């Protein structure tokens, strides 16, 4: 049920994640997100006013899918419980680490260019992990 | 709210989709799927016993995300209503078309190799479409 070595290798790579949260109506809402995986926690950042942040405040149940951009037959799906850390400074500090995974040295410039709107840190603890690491069809 | 030309180009390409369905508990369940987009309908195939098929029978609300495998900053997210067509022959005929998008001439051999377990056709009609077609950060 936990993360395998193959799962960890994929989550440590530069793939983006599809995060699904739930409207108050129960309808699913999916968005594409940068993330960082460390200590078995998936971390993402969002503006405090974003739908996904409001959804999580209302219902912490989420799913996350990370697909290998070079091989769609390799992916990790996570069901989990998300929590919000409403600390703008902590969120921006984490965003520097997250952005560095994708844009390297330009991460600080990117974070410095963002609006003053408060950011929240989303921390996702997995309750179920399912990884597939197949090769493309021969 | 409908599909733009950029959305259609992405959906016509060889990207896979992340489909999210809902457990009876309301919890989201996400899987990676082949699909085909035609006549503004997203079509997928699953074994009749698959969780996602049982979920849709219980609650038709789904989301679908298709990300450009060559550019994670280009993606289409769809919220929609899914219906199940419980017609194994129709599902397998559609699966030949779907598989051909991904594995070309080998699609027929692939479909012929499948188990006899009945397949269902999932048809997703969009209620909300959101596309992003950005370039990667410079």
């Amino acid at each position: 049920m936990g993360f395998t070595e193959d799962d960890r290798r994929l989550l440590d790579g530069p793939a983006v994640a599809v995060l699904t949260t739930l409207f108050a109506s129960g309808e699913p809402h999916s968005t594409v997100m940068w993330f960082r995986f460390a200590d078995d926690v998936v971390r993402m950042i969002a503006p405090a006013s974003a739908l996904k942040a409001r959804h999580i405040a209302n219902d912490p149940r989420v799913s996350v899918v990370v697909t290998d951009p070079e091989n769609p037959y390799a992916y990790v799906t996570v069901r989990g419980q998300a929590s919000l850390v409403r600390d703008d400074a902590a969120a921006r500090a984490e965003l520097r680490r997250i952005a560095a995974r994708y844009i390297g040295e330009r991460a600080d410039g990117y974070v410095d260019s963002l609006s003053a709107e408060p950011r929240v840190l989303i921390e996702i603890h997995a309750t179920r992990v399912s990884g597939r690491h197949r090769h493309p069809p021969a």
Side-chain angles (χ1 to χ4, degrees), chain A:
Chain A
M1 294 286 280
F3 295 97
T4 68
E5 286 310 302
D6 279 342
D7 295 342
R8 293 176 190 281
R9 201 168 308 127
L10 177 46
L11 294 170
D12 287 343
V16 295
V18 173
L19 168 69
T20 300
T21 58
L22 298 168
F23 284 93
S25 66
E27 198 177 355
H29 173 63
S30 298
T31 54
V32 178
M33 301 283 285
W34 281 353
F35 73 97
R36 189 172 74 96
F37 177 70
D39 305 322
D40 282 15
V41 177
V42 175
R43 291 182 172 82
M44 302 173 175
I45 305 298
S49 66
L51 264 182
K52 62 199 113 202
R54 291 186 279 143
H55 287 174
I56 290 168
N58 180 63
D59 188 333
R61 298 176 299 174
V62 301
S63 71
V64 175
V65 179
V66 177
T67 304
D68 184 340
E70 297 187 351
N71 173 16
Y73 306 96
Y75 50 86
V76 178
T77 64
V78 171
R79 270 190 279 153
Q81 294 276 323
S83 56
L84 292 182
V85 180
R86 297 186 181 282
D87 177 331
D88 185 60
R92 285 172 196 260
E94 175 59 39
L95 183 52
R96 286 176 201 273
R97 289 187 285 271
I98 293 173
R101 287 177 18 84
Y102 299 94
I103 56 173
E105 293 180 351
R106 291 165 296 147
D108 284 342
Y110 164 74
V111 175
D112 291 340
S113 76
L114 294 175
S115 72
E117 185 187 347
R119 262 61 184 179
V120 292
L121 168 60
I122 300 168
E123 293 186 331
I124 299 166
H125 290 80
T127 53
R128 187 161 194 287
V129 180
S130 175
R132 290 287 172 85
H133 301 278
R134 291 174 291 187
H135 294 286

